[in-house]
Amino acid sequence: MGTIAQNLQSWDVAYDWKHQGREWSKDWGGVEMQWHGTILPRIYAFIPTRSILEIGPGFGRWTHFLKDLCDRLIIVDLSKRCIRACQHRFRHCSHISYHINDGRSLDAVADGSVDFVFSFDSLVHLEVDVIEAYLNQLASKLTPNGVGFIHHSNMGEYATYFSMLKKIPKGKFRDFLSKLRIIERKSHWRAFSMSAQRFAGIATEAGLCCISQEVVNWKTSPKRLIDCLSVFTSKGSIWERPNQLIRNDGFMREAAYLSKLSRLYSNGFAEKKRRLPSGQHSK
C-alpha cells in the first residue's frame, strides 16, 4: 500500500504531528488505557528485560512506556522528524539510543543484542519486502531467547475482495452499499502484500518461528480482520512452540470497553497526578 518513499513523505513532511500520535489512541480512551489494557497484557511475559528494540516509534507514544522496562532501549525510524522529536522528549534518558534508517536496515543494531523487539501501529503500512528485510536481520540481532512482537497488515487475506470492490462503479449505489455496511471501502493504508500466513512463512525462512498470531479487526473495518499481532522467537529458544493463531473479531469491542472504563477511572486523573508534588498522593 505504501512504499518506503511514500511513508517517509507522509510521516516526515506531510503529517503535522500536532497531537504526537495520541489521536490514534482515542478509540481506547487514550494512550495510557491502550497501553495498559490492550498492549501490555499481550507482551507482559517478555518484559521487563535488558535490551528492547522499537521499530517505528513515531513521536514516542509507546517509547514512553518501553523506556522503563529495560536497561537499554534502541529506537529506529526512517523519519528524522520522529527521531528528533523522541530525542527531545526523552532527553533525560541516558539509556536510549536513536537511529535513523533507510526504512529497512538494522545495521545500527549489534548482532545478538536484542531481548525484545516491539513495533505497534507502524509496520502495518509497509509491504512484504520491508517485513522480510526486518525479519531476516532480526534473526541475527536477537539474543538466543529473544522475542519479537510486531503489528503488521493482514490485508493480503482480503486482496481478492478489494480487487472486486474496485469493479463497483463509484456513485450512489456504492455509497448505499457502504452505508448498509455490505461493503467496506477503507483499507486504512494497509499493505496488501502482507498477511498472517505470509509473515509466519517469512519468519520460518529467516530462521525464526512464530509462536502466536492474533488476527484482529481495526476501527471502522469491523467485519474484516485486516491486522495481525505476531509474536516470534529464535529457533531453539525457551519460548519456542508450535504457532497458535486466533481470529479475534472482538478487538474493537475491547477498545470500546476500555474507552468506557477510561471515562470512569482515568480521564484527567493522570494529568492531576502529574501536578502533585513528588511522593505525594491524593487523599
Side-chain angles (χ1 to χ4, degrees):
M1 176 55 65
T3 65
I4 290 175
Q6 288 170 330
N7 273 272
L8 182 60
Q9 169 65 23
S10 179
W11 310 122
D12 215 34
V13 180
Y15 201 71
D16 62 19
W17 288 103
K18 64 181 178 180
H19 299 297
Q20 300 183 327
R22 294 190 300 271
E23 63 274 27
W24 298 313
S25 293
K26 64 182 180 180
D27 288 327
W28 282 260
V31 175
E32 287 80 7
M33 188 59 81
Q34 187 178 10
W35 170 264
H36 290 289
T38 291
I39 298 176
L40 185 58
R42 289 168 165 85
I43 65 173
Y44 77 92
F46 313 115
I47 52 174
T49 190
R50 293 171 301 174
S51 175
I52 295 177
L53 165 64
E54 183 183 12
I55 302 174
F59 269 45
R61 184 168 43 144
W62 311 124
T63 314
H64 170 74
F65 302 100
L66 294 170
K67 67 179 173 54
D68 299 324
L69 297 169
C70 59
D71 299 323
R72 182 184 178 217
L73 176 60
I74 309 158
I75 63 174
V76 176
D77 202 299
L78 81 163
S79 168
K80 292 180 182 179
R81 188 177 179 190
C82 290
I83 288 295
R84 287 169 182 166
C86 287
Q87 286 176 317
H88 176 74
R89 180 175 178 180
F90 306 113
R91 59 191 179 279
H92 301 303
C93 300
S94 60
H95 69 304
I96 303 178
S97 61
Y98 308 86
H99 305 280
I100 300 165
N101 74 349
D102 59 2
R104 64 173 70 226
S105 172
L106 295 176
D107 287 348
V109 182
D111 287 353
S113 66
V114 177
D115 295 305
F116 184 64
V117 182
F118 176 93
S119 184
F120 189 88
D121 215 4
S122 177
L123 297 183
V124 289
H125 307 300
L126 292 165
E127 302 289 348
V128 65
D129 59 323
V130 175
I131 301 297
E132 186 172 20
Y134 277 137
L135 288 181
N136 281 327
Q137 293 168 89
L138 288 172
S140 61
K141 305 302 179 183
L142 287 175
T143 57
N145 293 315
V147 174
F149 173 85
I150 288 183
H151 176 201
H152 60 88
S153 172
N154 187 49
M155 192 63 82
E157 184 176 325
Y158 303 102
T160 301
Y161 165 79
F162 279 96
S163 178
M164 292 176 63
L165 186 59
K166 290 179 181 179
K167 297 178 182 179
I168 301 176
K170 293 182 179 179
K172 292 183 178 180
F173 179 64
R174 184 166 174 169
D175 291 341
F176 177 70
L177 293 177
S178 180
K179 286 180 181 179
L180 292 178
R181 295 191 175 183
I182 295 172
I183 64 171
E184 296 175 26
R185 294 183 293 178
K186 291 187 177 181
S187 65
H188 297 279
W189 209 34
R190 270 19 184 193
F192 278 94
S193 63
M194 275 307 302
S195 67
Q197 183 179 18
R198 193 152 194 191
F199 186 98
I202 294 169
T204 299
E205 291 174 3
L208 301 164
C209 58
C210 274
I211 56 177
S212 72
Q213 291 184 291
E214 182 184 5
V215 185
V216 302
N217 52 3
W218 191 257
K219 299 193 177 183
T220 55
S221 291
K223 293 182 179 180
R224 289 170 179 83
L225 310 184
I226 65 172
D227 283 11
C228 182
L229 309 174
S230 289
V231 179
F232 58 93
T233 189
S234 303
K235 285 187 176 179
S237 83
I238 61 170
W239 305 104
E240 185 178 6
R241 69 176 186 190
N243 191 22
Q244 298 182 20
L245 184 147
I246 65 169
R247 300 180 65 83
N248 180 8
D249 63 359
F251 188 71
M252 291 314 300
R253 289 196 297 273
E254 174 186 299
Y257 183 66
L258 289 171
S259 180
K260 186 183 295 184
L261 288 182
S262 76
R263 293 192 293 272
L264 184 62
Y265 291 110
S266 65
N267 260 12
F269 292 175
E271 179 57 35
K272 289 180 180 179
K273 184 178 179 180
R274 281 193 286 269
R275 295 203 299 266
L276 289 171
S278 179
Q280 182 177 330
H281 299 282
S282 57
K283 295 182 179 179

